[in-house]
Amino acid sequence: MILSNQHIVLPLLLNLLFTFVYSHIPTTLEGPFPPITVPFDPSLRAVAIDLPDTDPRVRRNVHGFQPEQISLSLSTSYHSVWVSWITGEFQIGYNIKPLDPKTVSSVVHYGTSRTALVREAKGQSLIYNQLYPYEGLQNYTSGIIHHVRLRGLEPSTVYYYQCGDPSLEAMSDIYYFRTMPISGPKSYPGRVAVVGDLGLTYNTTTTINHLTSNEPDLLLLIGDVTYANLYLTNGTGSDCYSCSFPQSPIHETYQPRWDYWGRFMQNLVSKVPMMVVEGNHEIEKQAEDKQFVAYSSRFAFPSEESGSSSTFYYSFNAGGIHFVMLGAYTDYARTGEQYKWLERDLASVDRSVTPWLVAAWHPPWYSTYKAHYREAECMRVHVEDLLYSYGVDIVFNGHIHAYERSNRVYNYNLDPCGPVHITIGDGGNREKMAIKFADEPGHCPDPSSTPDPYMGGFCATNFTFGPAVSKFCWDRQPDYSAFRESSFGYGILEVKNETWALWSWYRNQDSYNDVGDQIYIVRQPQLCPINQKVCREYFAAM
């Protein structure tokens, strides 16, 4: 058989191109890497200041029942998308009168042409209240929140939409979005932006502007959304959650900060789907011990579509990636509903269709910062084995207001089959940046300071193995910590194929093209087989 020059040269050129592109960026195949700490830049210690309610980016600029705070979220796969918005004004005060959701319809007109929105979908609406039965504390009632699910969509297709109530002549402008690609081993969204602990400060605006310049196809927000609970109900703010207003009979929140945040974010999330998981700042306890009400009301979640009975945990596909969003502030014990759901969900994943498995929740298991050190140890003890057995590739967390990337790790040991854990809680919130490390002299916290109120006990104890045996903290940067730096920013995940994905972390103070940390995360399915027995049993039973 005689081969033409192009049959010889083309594969050679492609191979050379692949080598050139990948050679100057490290890959996990070269790891584990020696730990790196980037020294803190003192010039970044400026106080994070919230946007005031007079800022034009957070002011209400619609009238009557015209839609505002428009946002998108995904269902479980490409053929379905949620559209959410708010109509009517919130009220805060001592004598509030909730709006009636039945007075305004929830309608979306949409289509593949801006001039022909020929399809219509209807959905549901609701309001929520944040109530404090104490003298001097103001109560809140929201505008009317609408959630409409669009169905029967084509993959990788641009759709135009307009939402509102046509009978009231209260319709939005026309927006657009692109659906996710079809699920398959060679099909992926271009860029997935990941950010945590965002808030609504001037740092936040820099983060979102920087992030938007990277033109993401999807946004993951890993908890701590608005920090409304750094405010009293009269609008007075604080810089610290744990020390704010100890004289209050209940930890107050100022719910209008949610509306300000929704208005600021609309420009991005009306075009780019945003998937949110709860953080501790979303707890927002109120009368009758209600919690997480704003979080559960304002966002649409694919909980029902993914078999979950809770807004705290759910899953979805984006091309060849299966995302699992978990709740750290609800029961995660092996006997609980979330764990049972997670077992079913992981067993249902066909890795020949969605090779990549990514998990996310708020507090990290593998952070080496002093703040919140080993705080989520109970969750790790209960859940880590399950995620490991199914070959989770990447874990995203927030909570720590800094950045850290791990080597592949399992049970605090370097493990080529463990996931890469990435802490990305550096979105720009009002609280202080984390700059102290638990391994620094005098910074190791007392184990008694790390209780888990959600499981009712202490799980973080002294290590019984490895270089830190008989100690609660390492005396140097742990081997599992590959890179850490205190700086505000965000990350971009670009999955290239079924085994290679590029992770890039961007710092707010850098230009849009500069990268603070970058690595190719490489899957090795031949080296690290998943729990095939359980999967075979699951698919046989279907």
Side-chain angles (χ1 to χ4, degrees):
M1 179 179 178
I2 299 176
L3 296 176
S4 67
N5 286 340
Q6 81 175 50
H7 285 98
I8 298 173
V9 174
L10 186 58
L12 180 60
L13 288 175
L14 289 174
N15 187 52
L16 288 172
L17 179 63
F18 183 91
T19 303
F20 173 77
V21 170
Y22 286 74
S23 62
H24 70 287
I25 299 174
T27 80
T28 52
L29 296 177
E30 304 161 39
F33 298 95
I36 294 175
T37 297
V38 176
F40 178 65
D41 181 355
S43 68
L44 301 178
R45 253 189 126 164
V47 177
I49 301 174
D50 276 337
L51 268 65
D53 58 11
T54 54
D55 191 294
R57 291 169 290 185
V58 306
R59 300 294 294 170
R60 187 171 189 260
N61 58 10
V62 299
H63 304 284
F65 288 105
Q66 291 178 324
E68 64 160 351
Q69 303 180 50
I70 301 167
S71 65
L72 303 170
S73 56
L74 299 179
S75 185
T76 48
S77 62
Y78 68 85
H79 49 65
S80 183
V81 166
W82 285 94
V83 181
S84 302
W85 68 94
I86 293 181
T87 55
E89 297 189 59
F90 69 79
Q91 301 166 54
I92 186 164
Y94 303 107
N95 297 297
I96 58 173
K97 184 179 180 181
L99 297 172
D100 182 359
K102 296 178 181 178
T103 59
V104 184
S105 297
S106 309
V107 179
V108 176
H109 293 151
Y110 63 105
T112 55
S113 169
R114 176 183 289 272
T115 57
L117 306 181
V118 295
R119 300 174 66 178
E120 180 180 276
K122 296 182 178 180
Q124 68 269 15
S125 60
L126 70 149
I127 60 100
Y128 78 90
N129 302 314
Q130 188 81 16
L131 303 177
Y132 300 108
Y134 301 99
E135 184 178 354
L137 273 60
Q138 300 183 51
N139 294 317
Y140 172 93
T141 184
S142 71
I144 299 171
I145 303 169
H146 305 262
H147 300 302
V148 176
R149 186 179 171 193
L150 313 186
R151 306 169 188 254
L153 306 177
E154 295 297 321
S156 302
T157 302
V158 173
Y159 283 87
Y160 298 88
Y161 72 97
Q162 192 176 33
C163 60
D165 185 343
S167 69
L168 298 178
E169 297 185 355
M171 296 294 285
S172 71
D173 293 335
I174 296 175
Y175 297 88
Y176 66 90
F177 64 89
R178 180 181 292 274
T179 52
M180 291 294 106
I182 195 168
S183 291
K186 301 184 183 303
S187 177
Y188 300 96
R191 295 182 183 90
V192 179
V194 187
V195 68
D197 302 68
L198 197 54
L200 188 56
T201 68
Y202 290 99
N203 286 328
T204 305
T205 66
T206 303
T207 301
I208 294 302
N209 290 339
H210 206 308
L211 182 155
T212 302
S213 73
N214 254 306
E215 299 181 346
D217 301 279
L218 174 64
L219 171 62
L220 302 185
L221 177 48
I222 317 298
D224 284 2
V225 179
T226 69
Y227 290 80
N229 64 350
L230 293 186
Y231 285 79
L232 293 171
T233 62
N234 64 11
T236 301
S238 172
D239 295 327
C240 166
Y241 174 82
S242 60
C243 60
S244 57
F245 321 119
Q247 71 277 15
S248 297
I250 190 173
H251 197 109
E252 303 172 48
T253 81
Y254 186 62
Q255 289 296 297
R257 298 297 302 181
W258 280 94
D259 296 283
Y260 304 161
W261 189 90
R263 291 165 187 162
F264 170 77
M265 291 293 290
Q266 177 177 300
N267 187 53
L268 174 64
V269 299
S270 60
K271 305 177 184 70
V272 177
M274 176 178 61
M275 308 305 287
V276 185
V277 72
E278 80 281 0
N280 55 297
H281 282 272
E282 278 72 73
I283 295 173
E284 297 186 319
K285 186 176 179 180
Q286 59 168 300
E288 300 178 355
D289 203 27
K290 291 182 179 179
Q291 301 177 355
F292 296 100
V293 177
Y295 162 83
S296 296
S297 301
R298 288 177 176 268
F299 301 114
F301 306 92
S303 301
E304 183 178 350
E305 300 102 279
S306 60
S308 166
S309 60
S310 171
T311 59
F312 298 149
Y313 51 89
Y314 60 90
S315 67
F316 63 96
N317 290 338
I321 314 170
H322 185 73
F323 288 95
V324 178
M325 312 291 274
L326 299 180
Y329 302 99
T330 187
D331 186 3
Y332 44 69
R334 293 188 180 99
T335 55
E337 287 303 314
Q338 178 175 206
Y339 191 92
K340 294 174 184 176
W341 168 84
L342 181 59
E343 284 185 305
R344 295 192 301 270
D345 187 81
L346 293 175
S348 71
V349 178
D350 185 345
R351 299 298 279 272
S352 68
V353 177
T354 53
W356 286 87
L357 183 52
V358 176
W361 61 89
H362 187 58
W365 297 343
Y366 291 101
S367 166
T368 62
Y369 289 85
K370 178 183 178 181
H372 307 297
Y373 179 69
R374 300 182 71 185
E375 185 181 279
E377 187 73 359
C378 286
M379 185 183 183
R380 188 193 68 80
V381 168
H382 281 269
V383 181
E384 185 175 30
D385 283 351
L386 183 59
L387 297 185
Y388 180 81
S389 70
Y390 280 98
V392 168
D393 299 299
I394 307 171
V395 171
F396 289 117
N397 303 116
H399 204 40
I400 312 301
H401 301 159
Y403 173 75
E404 186 166 17
R405 170 177 54 83
S406 80
N407 287 303
R408 291 193 176 276
V409 60
Y410 166 66
N411 193 28
Y412 291 102
N413 288 301
L414 298 175
D415 189 315
C417 297
V420 173
H421 288 253
I422 296 172
T423 298
I424 189 88
D426 55 348
N429 67 82
R430 182 171 176 169
E431 292 184 313
K432 294 179 181 178
M433 189 181 297
I435 58 174
K436 296 179 180 178
F437 302 109
D439 48 85
E440 293 175 325
H443 288 169
C444 183
D446 188 316
S448 65
S449 69
T450 61
D452 190 323
Y454 308 98
M455 295 300 295
F458 291 83
C459 297
T461 57
N462 287 350
F463 289 103
T464 57
F465 57 87
V469 63
S470 77
K471 301 176 183 176
F472 190 64
C473 304
W474 291 53
D475 58 7
R476 57 181 170 83
Q477 185 174 358
D479 293 341
Y480 59 79
S481 174
F483 183 96
R484 62 189 185 184
E485 181 177 355
S486 299
S487 180
F488 288 123
Y490 67 97
I492 295 286
L493 178 68
E494 302 172 72
V495 177
K496 304 298 185 180
N497 54 42
E498 56 265 48
T499 53
W500 286 69
L502 177 64
W503 168 254
S504 306
W505 173 61
Y506 293 90
R507 297 176 295 207
N508 283 1
Q509 68 266 29
D510 295 336
S511 71
Y512 290 166
N513 296 323
D514 291 339
V515 217
D517 179 43
Q518 194 168 52
I519 190 170
Y520 277 104
I521 299 172
V522 185
R523 298 182 60 247
Q524 295 180 277
Q526 295 78 15
L527 174 66
C528 307
I530 63 169
N531 195 337
Q532 298 288 354
K533 178 177 181 295
V534 174
C535 288
R536 283 196 299 269
E537 291 175 352
Y538 178 87
F539 286 111
M542 290 182 66

